[in-house]
Amino acid sequence: MNTNNGSATADFILLGFSNQPQVEHIISGVVFIFYIVTLVGNTTIILVSNLDSKLHTPMYFFLSNLSFLDLCYATSIIPQMLVNLWGPTKSITYGGCVLQFFFALDFGATECLLLAVMAYDRYAAVCQPLYYTIVMHPQLCQKMVLTAWLGGLGSALILCSLTLKLPRCGHRKVDNFICEMPALLKLACVYSKVIEVIVYALGVIFLLVPLSLILISYAIITQAVMRIKSTARWRKVLNTCGSHLTVVTLFYGTIIYMYMKPQNSTSEDEGKFLTLFYTIVTPTLNPLIYTLRNKDVKSAVKRILRGEQGGAFA
């Protein structure tokens, strides 16, 4: 077999559901609506967290970073997806595919680490309330966020470079809506044990380890909550922690199912719908979950709209 990548820089064809045009029309409308909600919801959280001085806390610093991540993640994928869904051609340039693949890995891995950081913040707030401002000081918060971003960048560089070096023997049809790892690995005409081992190793580092830390944090938080006698504080803890746990469940559940199981065990259509869920639905639900369950955010929005003092820069 000729494994020469002579067409390495040729355009890719994103198949999606091209064999079911009626399904693509429905999906395109849903994706467009979800993207608008993603833009409005996450932008609102970023603006409110920065404009309202009462939200200048570690929790909302991390939340605004999460919203920025979701904005970047969705914008790196959805516009090109809509172009392909609406247009007659399903192609994407080699450079466009590489960038989409890289940023999807980067933002996804960063979010894995950031959600673990947010769990630690909730642990410090609930279990060490008297020392919270000392433990979660601004410099530490900034370093934790920077570590998450650099960790995501490093993993994306490793996986992207290794995946794109695999010979494709002229294969250009990506059986998905976007250029993502499972679909691109299926284009390779050789089996790479090295990549499989690295994917699992990074999966442990960026998925299982952060998730384990999150579960440990919430196990300790649960014990602390059981000792809280104040009903108002108990409900506030449940609201903030419940929002984070919901986001963690949606994000980690889908990603682990997608990336930590053998690639051959996922059907083509199942993989596509899972891709739609974690690239479109999750970034849309995150701001809704945090705003609908969080009275502080809703109150801050009302103060800003009324132009009250709390809505000014600190």
Side-chain angles (χ1 to χ4, degrees), residues 203-214:
V204 170
I205 296 171
F206 286 90
L207 291 174
L208 299 184
V209 170
L211 182 58
S212 298
L213 294 175
I214 291 171

Side-chain angles (χ1 to χ4, degrees), residues 42-62:
N42 285 293
T43 301
T44 299
I45 286 182
I46 293 171
L47 291 176
V48 169
S49 298
N50 284 277
L51 291 174
D52 194 285
S53 57
K54 293 183 179 180
L55 299 186
H56 289 180
T57 64
M59 174 182 169
Y60 293 102
F61 171 69
F62 296 134

Side-chain angles (χ1 to χ4, degrees), residues 8 38 52 54 77 88 90 93 127 131 133 168 171 176 196:
T38 298
D52 194 285
K54 293 183 179 180
I77 292 172
K90 309 294 182 182
T93 64
C127 301
Y131 302 99
T133 55
R168 295 184 298 276
H171 299 158
N176 212 321
E196 183 176 333

Side-chain angles (χ1 to χ4, degrees), residues 223-241:
Q223 292 180 339
V225 168
M226 300 300 291
R227 296 194 295 266
I228 294 177
K229 297 180 180 180
S230 170
T231 304
R233 185 164 181 262
W234 186 79
R235 288 178 178 173
K236 185 175 182 179
V237 169
L238 286 184
N239 279 336
T240 55
C241 293

Side-chain angles (χ1 to χ4, degrees), residues 21-250:
Q22 67 281 5
V23 175
E24 284 203 329
H25 292 150
I26 297 172
I27 290 175
S28 65
V30 173
V31 169
F32 179 74
I33 293 171
F34 270 70
Y35 185 49
I36 297 299
V37 175
T38 298
L39 293 178
V40 174
N42 285 293
T43 301
T44 299
I45 286 182
I46 293 171
L47 291 176
V48 169
S49 298
N50 284 277
L51 291 174
D52 194 285
S53 57
K54 293 183 179 180
L55 299 186
H56 289 180
T57 64
M59 174 182 169
Y60 293 102
F61 171 69
F62 296 134
L63 181 55
S64 60
N65 270 273
L66 179 65
S67 292
F68 180 68
L69 258 179
D70 285 337
L71 277 178
C72 293
Y73 189 71
T75 302
S76 69
I77 292 172
I78 296 180
Q80 178 65 48
M81 183 188 295
L82 289 174
V83 168
N84 288 348
L85 288 171
W86 288 337
T89 61
K90 309 294 182 182
S91 64
I92 182 173
T93 64
Y94 177 80
C97 186
V98 170
L99 287 176
Q100 190 179 76
F101 177 41
F102 173 79
F103 285 123
L105 285 173
D106 183 11
F107 298 139
T110 302
E111 185 158 341
C112 289
L113 298 179
L114 185 60
L115 288 173
V117 169
M118 293 174 73
Y120 177 76
D121 171 68
R122 292 299 82 210
Y123 157 77
V126 175
C127 301
Q128 303 179 35
L130 297 179
Y131 302 99
Y132 178 64
T133 55
I134 299 174
V135 174
M136 300 301 294
H137 55 84
Q139 291 79 10
L140 177 62
C141 294
Q142 292 167 5
K143 289 177 180 178
M144 294 171 82
V145 168
L146 180 61
T147 300
W149 279 97
L150 292 178
L153 178 63
S155 68
L157 286 171
I158 294 171
L159 291 177
C160 193
S161 60
L162 289 175
T163 303
L164 294 173
K165 285 180 180 178
L166 289 175
R168 295 184 298 276
C169 304
H171 299 158
R172 299 189 301 120
K173 294 182 179 180
V174 180
D175 196 15
N176 212 321
F177 297 95
I178 65 173
C179 293
E180 63 157 8
M181 174 165 282
L184 290 177
L185 286 177
K186 290 179 180 179
L187 295 183
C189 50
V190 296
Y191 170 72
S192 175
K193 184 67 177 178
V194 173
I195 288 187
E196 183 176 333
V197 171
I198 291 176
V199 167
Y200 273 96
L202 291 177
V204 170
I205 296 171
F206 286 90
L207 291 174
L208 299 184
V209 170
L211 182 58
S212 298
L213 294 175
I214 291 171
L215 294 177
I216 292 171
S217 296
Y218 275 103
I220 299 172
I221 288 172
T222 301
Q223 292 180 339
V225 168
M226 300 300 291
R227 296 194 295 266
I228 294 177
K229 297 180 180 180
S230 170
T231 304
R233 185 164 181 262
W234 186 79
R235 288 178 178 173
K236 185 175 182 179
V237 169
L238 286 184
N239 279 336
T240 55
C241 293
S243 299
H244 183 250
L245 267 179
T246 305
V247 170
V248 166
T249 303
L250 290 172

